[in-house]
Amino acid sequence: MSKKILITGAAGFLGSHLCDRFIKEGYQVIGMDNLITGDMKNIDHLLKRDEFEFFHYDVTNFIHVAGKLDYILHFASPASPIDYLKIPIQTLKVSSIGIFHLLGLAKEKNARILIASTSEVYGDPLVHPQSEDYYGNVNTIGPRGVYDEAKRFQESMTMAYHRFHGLETRIARIFNTYGPRMCLNDGRVIPAFIGQALRGEDLTVFGDGSQTRSFCYVDDQIEGIYRLLLSDYSEPVNIGNPDEITIKQFAEEIIKLTNSNQKIIYKSLPEDDPLKRQPDITRAKEILGWEPKVSRSDGMKISYDYFKSLSQEELFKSEHKDFSKHIKR
Ligand code: UDP
């Protein structure tokens, strides 16, 4: 009998790739998403498959799943700084109230649960590169606090269930990841720059562009998460690509890649924007035998082809989704 897995955030960027992967591995997949930031087009191709079921559902409500359940992946959450600003309370709820429900479900079903945590638990790091034993430097009340603190709380809750109830838990600290199905309009730097190049606009670098990020291609990220779920390791594991670059250099790379003549223009640096970020992946290498394989140049070519294939309507839709209909006042 095939294993059954619940994936929350199934219509999102990482969630949809995880659905693909687990179906490919022979699992029965239940996808769940409230579609605030997710998009059904990411899982359209799965809807007709017998191995896939989808529920349009918000995990901050009580969750019931009939029958057995072997695994849970909690990937529901807004994931871009613009989204945290627009929907701060949902961002807090999904990783606090949501994780309560999912841990309770895991306990009831005796299922193993993996949570999507983030490099944001390190905040604006004072240690470089960031290893899992670094406690972080987070501004609780800043604009990113709603995401960072919710994810930190989610880790604490998960460890408490592990220690107190003996639940099998896994924590993936995910660093910047990119690839096909990223939302073109959520303001994250890769879709932002590629979208600007495709529309013939100048590329907006925030600050002086000396801040760094380290970008991981989605297939590598999914492989890391897959291995972590199947491992017996319950402490957090960084999953990301250590290949670090400044945002200014990255903008220059995109101009070359897209063969565009756009200029770089500078805008003010958002509050609490981390100045440096690079994962130390020693633990992932040792415990999972994992390291990223896809170079930035290969991954960016694939991603560029994906964004180029989107419709003009999507390309020129400047605003991310209208959140107002999801917000109860
Ligand atoms: N950034 C930028 N221009 C943009 C969008 C983002 O210079 O149009 C910068 C942003 O200030 C940050 C980095 O790119 O330093 C990565 O931003 P992103 O929103 O992708 O993710 P973060 O890693 O900050 O969560």
Side-chain angles (χ1 to χ4, degrees):
M1 197 176 176
S2 57
K3 298 270 186 202
K4 202 164 174 186
I5 186 165
L6 167 67
I7 302 180
T8 74
F13 166 47
L14 291 180
S16 65
H17 283 283
L18 286 165
C19 291
D20 286 343
R21 175 64 187 260
F22 280 91
I23 286 176
K24 198 168 138 217
E25 299 289 343
Y27 287 63
Q28 197 68 34
V29 175
I30 304 173
M32 222 173 245
D33 204 300
N34 67 0
L35 300 176
I36 296 191
T37 55
D39 195 326
M40 285 306 285
K41 82 172 184 333
N42 291 335
I43 47 170
D44 248 2
H45 61 290
L46 297 178
L47 294 177
K48 285 202 188 88
R49 297 193 60 147
D50 291 340
E51 311 92 312
F52 187 69
E53 255 181 301
F54 178 74
F55 294 92
H56 180 190
Y57 194 72
D58 187 330
V59 297
T60 61
N61 300 308
F62 178 79
I63 307 165
H64 170 72
V65 171
K68 73 154 192 165
L69 194 59
D70 300 290
Y71 298 106
I72 299 174
L73 298 181
H74 185 32
F75 276 69
S77 175
S80 90
I82 286 191
D83 291 346
Y84 324 147
L85 286 173
K86 286 188 179 164
I87 39 173
I89 296 170
Q90 280 91 339
T91 304
L92 280 158
K93 280 184 174 174
V94 73
S95 295
S96 53
I97 300 173
I99 194 63
F100 262 111
H101 294 144
L102 289 158
L103 288 165
L105 181 67
K107 182 167 160 275
E108 184 202 315
K109 301 283 181 183
N110 207 11
R112 182 180 298 174
I113 179 167
L114 180 148
I115 59 157
S117 189
T118 167
S119 53
E120 287 283 328
V121 300
Y122 303 122
D124 189 5
L126 305 175
V127 163
H128 194 74
Q130 295 79 54
S131 60
E132 291 86 348
D133 51 15
Y134 176 49
Y135 294 162
N137 176 39
V138 171
N139 176 4
T140 55
I141 57 167
R144 288 173 178 257
V146 296
Y147 183 67
D148 302 6
E149 287 303 333
K151 290 287 189 179
R152 287 165 69 97
F153 174 81
Q154 182 176 257
E155 287 196 4
S156 306
M157 275 297 293
T158 301
M159 284 312 285
Y161 268 69
H162 173 68
R163 294 198 180 106
F164 191 77
H165 291 303
L167 199 68
E168 286 197 41
T169 56
R170 308 285 178 265
I171 300 176
R173 289 195 181 147
I174 298 170
F175 282 65
N176 295 67
T177 300
Y178 69 98
R181 300 190 194 151
M182 267 191 118
C183 175
L184 183 61
N185 305 302
D186 70 4
R188 277 184 286 182
V189 70
I190 291 183
F193 283 172
I194 294 186
Q196 287 163 343
L198 288 172
R199 290 188 296 268
E201 297 166 2
D202 294 334
L203 271 60
T204 52
V205 165
F206 298 160
D208 62 5
S210 63
Q211 72 272 33
T212 68
R213 293 294 185 272
S214 310
F215 298 109
C216 182
Y217 186 64
V218 64
D219 289 358
D220 284 332
Q221 182 63 245
I222 298 299
E223 180 63 28
I225 293 165
Y226 181 75
R227 288 188 190 202
L228 178 59
L229 178 71
L230 299 186
S231 77
D232 58 5
Y233 195 71
S234 55
E235 301 278 317
V237 180
N238 287 340
I239 314 272
N241 189 325
D243 186 9
E244 187 180 1
I245 185 172
T246 69
I247 295 300
K248 181 168 183 284
Q249 284 170 326
F250 186 57
E252 288 160 357
E253 276 190 11
I254 301 246
I255 290 172
K256 253 196 214 139
L257 169 72
T258 56
N259 211 2
S260 57
N261 299 320
Q262 305 327 122
K263 289 198 301 291
I264 293 176
I265 54 170
Y266 293 88
K267 297 207 163 173
S268 56
L269 191 67
E271 197 181 333
D272 296 335
D273 198 294
L275 291 182
K276 273 173 171 289
R277 185 180 287 156
Q278 187 203 121
D280 177 336
I281 58 165
T282 310
R283 190 176 279 184
K285 280 185 186 163
E286 283 174 8
I287 306 236
L288 312 177
W290 173 89
E291 64 184 316
K293 296 210 165 12
V294 182
S295 67
R296 191 169 58 246
S297 67
D298 287 348
M300 286 304 298
K301 273 187 212 125
I302 303 168
S303 308
Y304 179 45
D305 287 343
Y306 167 77
F307 286 117
K308 258 196 315 197
S309 73
L310 297 178
S311 67
Q312 289 291 306
E313 189 197 343
E314 260 180 282
L315 186 60
F316 283 91
K317 194 165 58 176
S318 62
E319 272 288 295
H320 192 29
K321 278 190 176 169
D322 175 12
F323 293 120
S324 53
K325 66 177 183 294
H326 295 280
I327 298 173
K328 294 193 188 90
R329 289 180 205 280

